[in-house]
């Protein structure tokens, strides 16, 4: 088996959320991997314009963004995208209003914060990070979807209410925290986008490895032939991994790539 592509989740995998940086050992390991002609991709719930300087400086060959709703190459060219249908955007907005949830829609160039920004747990951290404030637009008018459609949403509220709504919704809901959910078009998740990227690159799943740590990484890991869970990963992710490496801040990426015999 020859690994041709390695895909990394961002938060908790490449990016240490405690220190707000990519560990130096991970930076060096990825540079060494790329010198060996192994391609490098990122799969994240973030938008491609919301990765921040630390992640951007790694120069990923491909970015699977918006929880699988968007795939771009290193130049930002869109290779594939799937919009949330207009009727589903309206249904999600109505529900968010009813339960007073925090709601962000991610469009091709900016994130629009529709309501209750104080409930969006990652918002201030990202705005005050190296991402900066430019990608974030506060939009209480709640009408941007009349002009263009989003590829993903971030919904923050009572988990029981959201899960009950999700059962009867055509949208795909991926929980990433106690109150936070990534929402994507029906049938779209990181795993589907990985499969689409592999098809475009003509790479077999057996020749692709991935690193992940959270619930929303499950579909990505199931789409790849080799699965590495971070030491700080959720138990459910460790359970489906081929190997559990060390924590993100304890050379997890470096040790995982050594296990794969890429370095």
């Amino acid at each position: 088996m020859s690994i041709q592509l390695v895909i990394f989740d961002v938060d908790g995998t490449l990016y240490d959320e405690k220190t707000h940086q990519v560990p130096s050992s991970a930076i060096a390991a990825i540079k060494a991997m790329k010198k060996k002609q192994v391609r490098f991709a990122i799969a994240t719930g973030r938008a491609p314009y919301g990765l921040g300087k630390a992640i951007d400086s790694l120069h990923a060959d491909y970015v699977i963004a918006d929880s699988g709703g968007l795939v771009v190459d290193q130049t930002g060219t869109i290779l594939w995208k799937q919009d949330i249908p207009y009727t589903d955007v309206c249904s999600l907005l109505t529900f968010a209003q009813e339960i007073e949830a925090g709601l962000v829609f991610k469009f091709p160039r900016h994130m629009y914060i529709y309501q209750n920004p104080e409930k969006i747990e990652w918002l201030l951290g990202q705005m005050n990070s190296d991402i900066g404030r430019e990608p974030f637009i506060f939009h209480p008018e709640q009408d941007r979807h009349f002009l263009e459609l989003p590829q993903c949403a971030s919904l923050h509220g009572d988990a029981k209410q959201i899960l009950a709504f999700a059962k009867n919704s055509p949208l795909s809901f991926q929980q990433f925290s106690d109150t936070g959910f990534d929402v994507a078009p029906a049938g779209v998740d990181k795993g589907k986008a990985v499969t689409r990227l592999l098809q475009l690159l003509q790479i077999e799943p057996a020749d692709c490895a991935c690193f992940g740590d959270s619930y929303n990484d499950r579909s990505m890991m199931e789409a790849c032939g080799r699965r590495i869970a971070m030491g700080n990963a959720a138990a459910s992710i460790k359970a489906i991994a081929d190997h559990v490496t060390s924590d993100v801040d304890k050379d997890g990426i470096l040790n995982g790539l050594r296990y794969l015999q890429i370095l």
Side-chain angles (χ1 to χ4, degrees):
M1 183 184 299
S2 174
I3 302 297
Q4 299 179 41
L5 173 70
V6 183
I7 305 173
F8 300 87
D9 169 58
V10 173
D11 297 296
T13 299
L14 272 181
Y15 189 77
D16 185 347
E17 296 177 284
K18 291 180 288 187
T19 62
H20 303 291
Q21 61 185 7
V22 179
S24 58
S25 63
I27 295 172
I30 289 170
K31 286 182 179 178
M33 179 186 77
K34 292 174 74 175
K35 285 183 179 179
K36 295 195 173 187
Q37 306 303 311
V38 177
R39 283 180 275 192
F40 161 44
I42 285 169
T44 178
R46 297 193 192 193
Y49 47 76
L51 298 177
K53 294 178 182 177
I55 298 296
D56 287 341
S57 67
L58 299 175
H59 303 295
D61 298 301
Y62 307 97
V63 177
I64 295 168
D66 294 345
S67 299
L70 184 67
V71 181
V72 301
D73 66 12
Q74 192 176 59
T75 68
T77 300
I78 296 175
L79 303 180
W80 181 82
K81 75 180 179 74
Q82 181 66 56
D83 298 335
I84 300 178
Y86 176 78
T87 55
D88 293 338
V89 173
C90 294
S91 174
L92 182 62
L93 175 56
T94 298
F95 170 68
Q97 291 169 338
E98 289 173 353
I99 69 167
E100 300 182 352
L103 179 64
V104 175
F105 282 115
K106 299 178 182 180
F107 294 88
R109 295 175 183 83
H110 290 88
M111 300 177 216
Y112 283 74
I113 298 95
Y114 269 41
Q115 63 179 38
N116 299 322
E118 72 282 356
K119 295 184 178 182
I120 301 166
E121 58 200 56
W122 49 260
L123 183 60
L124 283 179
Q126 289 196 12
M127 290 180 68
N128 292 323
S129 73
D130 60 2
I131 295 172
R133 298 190 172 229
E134 194 276 332
F136 304 91
I137 297 177
F138 288 91
H139 195 66
E141 297 84 359
Q142 300 189 341
D143 60 3
R144 181 66 189 183
H145 58 285
F146 295 157
L147 300 177
E148 61 179 338
L149 292 172
Q151 290 75 53
C152 179
S154 187
L155 183 67
H156 299 254
D158 182 86
K160 289 184 178 179
Q161 290 179 299
I162 293 172
L163 290 170
F165 175 81
K167 287 182 180 179
N168 298 308
S169 171
L171 295 170
S172 171
F173 287 74
Q174 294 290 324
Q175 188 170 4
F176 61 83
S177 70
D178 290 342
T179 62
F181 292 78
D182 287 324
V183 186
V188 171
D189 55 29
K190 286 185 180 182
K192 297 292 193 310
V194 166
T195 298
R196 180 60 63 94
L197 178 60
L198 292 178
Q199 290 170 345
L200 289 171
L201 300 178
Q202 298 183 329
I203 294 175
E204 293 296 323
D207 298 325
C208 177
C210 68
F211 287 66
D213 73 291
S214 191
Y215 315 109
N216 61 352
D217 294 324
R218 185 180 186 92
S219 63
M220 172 185 72
M221 298 185 81
E222 291 174 342
C224 297
R226 303 296 299 277
R227 309 163 183 175
I228 308 297
M230 303 302 291
N232 50 277
S236 60
I237 296 302
K238 290 180 179 179
I240 62 170
D242 299 315
H243 176 71
V244 178
T245 185
S246 47
D247 289 9
V248 59
D249 59 347
K250 294 181 171 59
D251 301 332
I253 298 301
L254 172 63
N255 292 330
L257 290 174
R258 284 174 173 169
Y259 169 81
L260 292 169
Q261 298 183 341
I262 291 174
L263 301 183

